[in-house]
Amino acid sequence: MKEFRRAGRKGFAVLALFACLESACTMAQGGGETLPSLEREAHKAMGQGDLKKARDLDLRALSLAPDDVELLNNLAVVEDRLGEEDKALRTLKRASSQSPGDARILLNLARIELKLGREGEAFRTAGKIVSMDRWPDGFRTLMGKIDIDLARYEEAHVYLHEALERHPDNPLVHTYLGIVHFRLGERAEAEKNFRDALSHHPSPKLRRSLLMLLSDPEKVLGPSQPRSIPRKEISHGGEEGRP
């Protein structure tokens, strides 16, 4: 009986050891923080506008799960909002190497590439999403902006009209579409788009841009150009949530 009790105590000790080891694997070194708690706190900090704290928490979470694509994406968003676009680009490329077919990662990667003035790279990255059955939120709007920057105004017109059909109250879509109409020499349509954008409560920064576009569009966008080719009737079949 004594031997059985000793064996039992030894067994419980082994189980307790395994439990401690398992727990340690999901805790930050020295902090006793679990991965879920770090993620929750990072989201909370971001929601409160404390981006540096959110970045610190995301990095601590990644020390526990270095290849977690969700964490990498979250970190890239924070880095971008902090103005650290180069870091965000590296983070997203790391995430993309872990999950090459993740449309959301590709979309964010294309956004950062476009923001850094790498229009060609952004176009190629976003192009990987086109053949997917479902497009991520914001894809049509991003493609419209990429095509504007590449002077592909006909393609931009199609993407942005499709985005507008799905989200008629989005001021950014109205703004981009106004830029396309202005570039194509359709000034009346452009002015209507800019006024419609103003009516949908844009952010203060976008509102300032819209007021400038309405008062002196040439100063902001340069001279418009007349339409030289007929508008192509193209329909994109991918589903999408937000623009």
Side-chain angles (χ1 to χ4, degrees), residues 55 59 72-73 75-95 109 112 116 118:
R55 178 182 57 188
L59 288 169
L72 289 167
N73 186 62
L75 176 61
V77 171
V78 174
E79 289 171 334
D80 177 35
R81 293 188 183 181
L82 283 168
E84 301 172 345
E85 291 87 358
D86 288 330
K87 288 184 179 180
L89 184 69
R90 290 194 294 271
T91 300
L92 287 167
K93 285 186 175 181
R94 179 177 160 192
L109 181 56
I112 297 298
L116 290 170
R118 304 177 185 181

Side-chain angles (χ1 to χ4, degrees), residues 98-240:
Q98 295 295 327
S99 184
D102 190 315
R104 180 192 48 177
I105 298 298
L106 290 170
L107 184 75
N108 285 337
L109 181 56
R111 278 177 174 153
I112 297 298
E113 289 170 338
L114 185 64
K115 195 171 182 179
L116 290 170
R118 304 177 185 181
E119 294 88 355
E121 291 179 32
F123 183 77
R124 287 188 291 274
T125 299
K128 297 176 184 178
I129 302 172
V130 173
S131 61
M132 296 182 178
D133 292 334
R134 182 173 177 81
W135 291 347
D137 296 348
F139 177 71
R140 284 180 173 85
T141 305
L142 177 67
M143 284 301 296
K145 181 60 168 66
I146 291 172
D147 282 330
I148 288 172
D149 287 0
L150 291 173
R152 293 162 46 94
Y153 302 122
E154 300 294 339
E155 284 288 344
H157 185 275
V158 174
Y159 276 115
L160 292 169
H161 259 291
E162 290 182 357
L164 191 63
E165 288 172 3
R166 290 160 174 78
H167 314 283
D169 298 332
N170 187 287
L172 188 61
V173 179
H174 283 282
T175 303
Y176 287 162
L177 195 54
I179 293 171
V180 169
H181 282 144
F182 180 82
R183 291 295 192 196
L184 293 172
E186 300 170 350
R187 296 179 67 99
E189 290 89 339
E191 182 176 345
K192 181 181 183 303
N193 289 138
F194 297 147
R195 293 194 183 281
D196 286 343
L198 277 173
S199 71
H200 292 300
H201 311 292
S203 66
K205 183 178 180 180
L206 181 55
R207 181 179 178 81
R208 288 193 296 271
S209 296
L210 285 164
L211 292 173
M212 292 174 64
L213 286 166
L214 283 166
S215 65
D216 193 353
E218 285 87 356
K219 184 176 181 180
V220 180
L221 300 173
S224 62
Q225 62 183 51
R227 181 185 307 284
S228 58
I229 56 176
R231 180 167 290 147
K232 292 181 278 187
E233 295 297 328
I234 303 172
S235 178
H236 301 296
E239 297 180 2
E240 182 188 24

Side-chain angles (χ1 to χ4, degrees), residues 17-28:
L17 176 60
F18 277 120
C20 289
L21 289 172
E22 184 178 3
S23 176
C25 288
T26 60
M27 289 185 179

